[in-house]
Amino acid sequence: MNRQIAIIGSSGGNLYNLGGKEPRKLLDEILVQMESAGLSCGALQFIAAGVSMDAAKETTPAALYSWSSSQGAPVIIAEGTLQQVNQAAERLDREIAEQIELGEIDGVIVMSADPEGSNRHAVEACAKYKLPVTGTGGTSMAMIQAKGVHVIAASGTTGTTNRTRAVTFVTSLSKHWRIPYRPVIGTAQASSSSGSGSSASPWRRINIRGMMMASLPGFIGMALVLAVSKIPGLSALSEVFDLMIKALPVILAAIAAKQVSELDEVSIVAGIVAGILSVEGGIIGGILGGIGAGIIVHYLFRKCVEWRFPATTVNIVAGGISGLIAGLIVYFLIAPIALSAGEGIRTLIETLVSWSPVMAGLIAGLLIWPAIIGGVYHAAILPIVLLEMETTSNSFLGAVDMVGLVMVSAGITLANMIAPRDKGEAAVAAPGFAMNMGFGTFVEAAYPFMFSNKLVFAGAIASAGLGGMLVGLFGVRGTAYVPSFVGPITSNNTFGFLISMLASLLCSFLITFFVNKMYVYRSAKSTIGM
């Protein structure tokens, strides 16, 4: 039979700012980790106040969470002022103490408890029956220990997160009972009964494409700053642009570390530390530093917990030391190689384009739809776009993306709004057109029309080829993922980019328009013939 755990405490003072103000997320994380160790929740008494307990008054709004065995989840059993909730909590405290006396509780997790008030009876029962207790909250845990409670692990709250606290609690209990436990390093869902989360090796979570996509807003922000800096009177923003370029490796490192380790704030801190030390390696150095930080923080965190470091120290050591180790490795060993690799890729692209810009644009345009349909775009083209943008904020392939994908999709959807094959297609096309023009994304809106008619599909590829050819002709460097009217402003050739965009849009529009008209004409003719 699974060991039954009681969870008692409150949203706390310092804890309130470190997860306590979102009690469901805090409790769900603990429940997920408990389930991974084969532990069950036997009782719950958690007072969630509307503000930090350091500033709370008797009239502060609050809620009392208890455990519902039928629902297998935390439920609110009392709401009102903090004074009213405390009164309800004292009754629940007596019930939990009775469960302990009856042998229905095997261990206790404590967070910012009140051993002299709303948790007095449960704490006294723990001391009497020598139940293993683990928890956070410096003052409350000191008071609990003074009452003779068998505390197997105690820590302050500073520097902890919902996940690191939960892992620390469950690790302490599992080591005490010598039961197997593998931390669930994934996102806790609304209920622990779902068994959500992932304890997969951090090596399996390395996904360069995902890291690049998550970091894209930073690159777009940089491009926008460069565009605005060209406006008369705003040239001072060019210094901001230079600063943002230096920050790109830090952004990528933080994203990489978080995705690899999935330890929330701890991994983000490790990634930032590694990223700062990886700046000289460019975005490749940032990615490598972040991946290294994520891997190291994953294992170092677990080791620190196994060594029974206090939760605060676990976070400091895992986050800080992991970032330093990974960052220093990149700084002294990998940065020059990573920087050279990035420069080499950019030089290769520029060399290929310089040989025949028009031909390079044409080929890129013709291949970009097959690339995105075949899944190659995000895996190969997008990383190259970001590498190009690292130094100039715009890109040759980024410009081809805008004219060959976004504008072509806009043209196809616009034609289906004006001259659809049937009335229902206009309603389907309109949102896609708005997304293409307003946000520079969601090119997939054209898929239904391309896949249902080979001529429209061929027209899309031809239009993309035309746009790419013009990008090469005008020597355009630009980006997608921005509103269509912003695209030309962020490019190195506003007029050339605008012409290229309009050409692609108009070409795909006209082809789709006449294909649809032909389809409607043939359908009408067939109906008359019948």
Side-chain angles (χ1 to χ4, degrees):
M1 183 176 179
N2 288 356
R3 286 182 168 83
Q4 301 294 304
I5 307 300
I7 303 172
I8 63 174
S10 72
S11 51
N14 192 26
L15 176 63
Y16 181 83
N17 300 310
L18 298 171
K21 62 183 174 182
E22 296 182 285
R24 286 305 299 263
K25 289 184 178 179
L26 180 151
L27 295 172
D28 286 345
E29 190 66 64
I30 295 173
L31 295 170
V32 166
Q33 300 300 333
M34 284 170 50
E35 184 178 21
S36 179
L39 306 176
S40 299
C41 184
L44 170 64
Q45 182 231 50
F46 188 85
I47 301 170
V51 299
S52 167
M53 288 295 185
D54 293 335
K57 301 177 181 179
E58 290 186 348
T59 56
T60 298
L64 176 62
Y65 285 81
S66 182
W67 182 253
S68 171
S69 298
S70 59
Q71 297 182 35
V75 294
I76 295 176
I77 62 169
E79 290 184 281
T81 65
L82 183 57
Q83 183 181 25
Q84 293 169 334
V85 168
N86 277 335
Q87 291 172 355
E90 288 176 9
R91 292 191 293 270
L92 185 55
D93 175 46
R94 292 178 183 274
E95 293 177 11
I96 295 175
E98 185 177 345
Q99 285 183 270
I100 293 173
E101 292 174 0
L102 294 173
E104 296 175 357
I105 300 297
D106 301 296
V108 180
I109 291 173
V110 179
M111 292 173 289
S112 299
D114 182 6
E116 299 292 346
S118 56
N119 302 114
R120 180 167 64 89
H121 295 94
V123 170
E124 290 175 352
C126 287
K128 181 178 179 180
Y129 293 96
K130 301 299 180 184
L131 262 63
V133 174
T134 179
T136 58
T139 302
S140 62
M141 291 306 297
M143 294 172 65
I144 289 172
Q145 285 177 308
K147 288 181 176 291
V149 175
H150 179 38
V151 176
I152 58 174
S155 171
T157 308
T158 302
T160 63
T161 67
N162 287 344
R163 183 160 300 157
T164 59
R165 280 191 301 276
V167 172
T168 301
F169 295 154
V170 178
T171 298
S172 300
L173 292 170
S174 62
K175 286 182 71 67
H176 174 76
W177 288 313
R178 298 181 180 179
I179 58 177
Y181 164 57
R182 185 179 181 84
V184 178
I185 309 302
T187 303
Q189 303 298 322
S191 171
S192 63
S193 61
S194 64
S196 60
S198 171
S199 57
S201 164
W203 297 93
R204 298 178 60 183
R205 289 193 290 268
I206 297 175
N207 186 331
I208 303 298
R209 179 176 64 180
M211 296 168 191
M212 289 286 196
M213 283 296 295
S215 304
L216 183 60
F219 288 82
I220 299 302
M222 180 182 66
L224 293 175
V225 168
L226 180 62
V228 175
S229 70
K230 296 178 181 179
I231 299 175
L234 297 176
S235 58
L237 285 174
S238 60
E239 296 180 7
V240 176
F241 170 75
D242 294 336
L243 182 61
M244 291 189 69
I245 285 181
K246 295 178 182 178
L248 291 177
V250 181
I251 295 173
L252 281 155
I255 294 294
K258 184 179 186 301
Q259 290 187 0
V260 170
S261 75
E262 292 190 338
L263 277 171
D264 296 329
E265 289 91 337
V266 180
S267 56
I268 292 173
V269 170
I272 291 173
V273 173
I276 292 171
L277 292 171
S278 304
V279 166
E280 297 301 322
I283 65 174
I284 293 179
I287 291 173
L288 294 176
I291 291 173
I295 292 171
I296 297 171
V297 77
H298 174 88
Y299 291 110
L300 189 55
F301 176 86
R302 292 183 60 185
K303 281 297 180 184
C304 288
V305 173
E306 290 175 3
W307 294 333
R308 299 192 178 184
F309 283 16
T312 299
T313 306
V314 171
N315 281 20
I316 293 172
V317 171
I321 301 300
S322 300
L324 280 173
I325 293 172
L328 289 172
I329 290 173
V330 174
Y331 184 85
F332 287 110
L333 300 177
I334 300 176
I337 301 173
L339 186 62
S340 297
E343 291 290 347
I345 293 173
R346 285 190 291 271
T347 301
L348 176 61
I349 295 296
E350 291 298 327
T351 301
L352 293 174
V353 173
S354 65
W355 284 345
S356 178
V358 174
M359 183 60 66
L362 174 63
I363 294 173
L366 292 174
L367 293 179
I368 199 161
W369 275 106
I372 194 169
I373 292 171
V376 176
Y377 174 84
H378 293 99
I381 296 178
L382 181 61
I384 295 174
V385 169
L386 299 187
L387 278 168
E388 287 188 88
M389 291 180 68
E390 182 183 10
T391 56
T392 60
S393 89
N394 47 43
S395 153
F396 170 75
L397 289 177
V400 175
D401 183 329
M402 175 62 89
V403 303
L405 293 178
V406 179
M407 288 296 101
V408 169
S409 177
I412 292 172
T413 50
L414 179 61
N416 281 282
M417 290 168 58
I418 296 174
R421 290 179 297 182
D422 59 64
K423 294 182 179 180
E425 290 188 339
V428 174
F433 176 75
M435 291 281 281
N436 293 155
M437 299 301 292
F439 300 96
T441 187
F442 194 42
V443 301
E444 293 85 356
Y447 281 0
F449 313 108
M450 292 171 61
F451 294 154
S452 63
N453 191 298
K454 293 180 180 179
L455 292 177
V456 173
F457 191 102
I461 294 177
S463 301
L466 172 63
M469 185 172 64
L470 291 174
V471 164
L473 178 65
F474 290 110
V476 175
R477 301 293 184 275
T479 183
Y481 299 100
V482 295
S484 58
F485 63 88
V486 175
I489 301 174
T490 61
S491 72
N492 66 327
N493 186 338
T494 301
F495 177 76
F497 201 15
L498 184 60
I499 294 298
S500 304
M501 290 168 63
L502 289 174
S504 292
L505 188 150
L506 185 60
C507 182
S508 61
F509 169 81
L510 291 174
I511 292 174
T512 307
F513 180 88
F514 286 115
V515 168
N516 286 358
K517 285 293 186 181
M518 188 186 309
Y519 177 88
V520 172
Y521 173 75
R522 289 177 177 176
S523 297
K525 187 176 181 181
S526 175
T527 302
I528 294 172
M530 292 176 63

